[in-house]
Amino acid sequence: MDNKKFGEFIATLRKEKNWTQAELAQKLNVTDKAISKWERGLGFPDIKTIEPLADALGVSVLEIMQCEHKTDEVISTDGASQALMNTIDLVKEQRRKEKRDILRGAGIVGLIMLSVLAIDNVGWFAFATIWIQIIALVIGVALLAMGIHYKRQQKPCTTTFVVASVCLLYPIAWIIFLCIAFVTGIGPITN
């Protein structure tokens, strides 16, 4: 299913009813940001929201899934097959998103646990001077790889690259700070 086409179809139907995104969102019990995301082609509604969306906009589920008005009452085999394939694609995408969210959550929990263990083993000072830089470097490299992947898929990636840059520059700035401290004899390292 084409994100842009889906979003344009939803926006057209909403505007035909003279509703704001907030009004449609209220009818579906979602946020207006979710409606905006759908209409800009940045995502799809949850599969459970498709039928209420179709009802609210006064069209059939088939029309929503094919992103076009149907004037005939008879559904062709091709039309039904296409709608079914669109539904399957939507479910697959939602499952991928759920898995990605679970992996992100597990990664964050793991990082927090490793940080606590590192603090217990090496103490606050060593953690602050060494481990935070290593963690920032690893996160920066991971985000850079993710940003490149998003760029290849033509997905929005500016924020990913900005955060990756900050994470990669932080250890560099820390090393520069330590070198200046060593040369001047001020700070945590003296000559």
Side-chain angles (χ1 to χ4, degrees):
M1 184 184 295
D2 181 11
N3 294 19
K4 296 284 186 194
K5 186 176 178 184
F6 178 83
E8 290 169 2
F9 186 64
I10 298 301
T12 301
L13 293 172
R14 176 183 59 78
K15 290 173 184 174
E16 285 175 2
K17 295 200 171 283
N18 293 320
W19 291 344
T20 64
Q21 290 179 342
E23 289 170 327
L24 178 57
Q26 186 177 18
K27 293 178 187 313
L28 299 174
N29 294 321
V30 298
T31 65
D32 57 337
K33 291 180 182 181
I35 302 294
S36 172
K37 186 177 175 183
W38 302 342
E39 289 184 359
R40 290 181 290 137
L42 300 178
F44 290 106
D46 186 83
I47 192 71
K48 296 176 215 156
T49 309
I50 297 293
E51 188 175 3
L53 177 63
D55 289 342
L57 294 172
V59 295
S60 69
V61 172
L62 180 64
E63 290 173 298
I64 289 286
M65 297 309 295
Q66 290 188 328
C67 306
E68 60 186 28
H69 284 293
K70 296 288 182 192
T71 54
D72 53 349
E73 292 293 323
V74 179
I75 300 172
S76 69
T77 304
D78 290 340
S81 294
Q82 185 60 41
L84 183 58
M85 293 306 295
N86 288 346
T87 304
I88 291 169
D89 290 344
L90 182 60
V91 169
K92 285 180 182 177
E93 178 61 31
Q94 287 178 352
R95 285 187 179 158
R96 273 193 296 265
K97 183 180 177 191
E98 287 172 359
K99 286 179 184 177
R100 185 178 62 233
D101 291 345
I102 289 169
L103 288 174
R104 282 182 184 165
I108 290 169
V109 168
L111 187 61
I112 291 170
M113 290 174 61
L114 286 174
S115 297
V116 169
L117 289 173
I119 291 169
D120 282 346
N121 284 333
V122 299
W124 279 101
F125 183 74
F127 181 76
T129 56
I130 299 169
W131 286 101
I132 288 180
Q133 283 58 258
I134 293 171
I135 292 169
L137 190 63
V138 169
I139 291 172
V141 169
L143 287 174
L144 186 62
M146 189 184 311
I148 292 168
H149 176 70
Y150 285 168
K151 186 76 169 174
R152 286 183 181 159
Q153 292 184 338
Q154 297 178 343
K155 291 183 179 179
C157 56
T158 305
T159 305
T160 306
F161 281 124
V162 169
V163 175
S165 299
V166 170
C167 287
L168 291 171
L169 289 174
Y170 180 72
I172 294 169
W174 184 252
I175 291 169
I176 291 169
F177 167 75
L178 290 178
C179 289
I180 292 170
F182 180 74
V183 169
T184 60
I186 307 171
I189 298 178
T190 58
N191 50 7

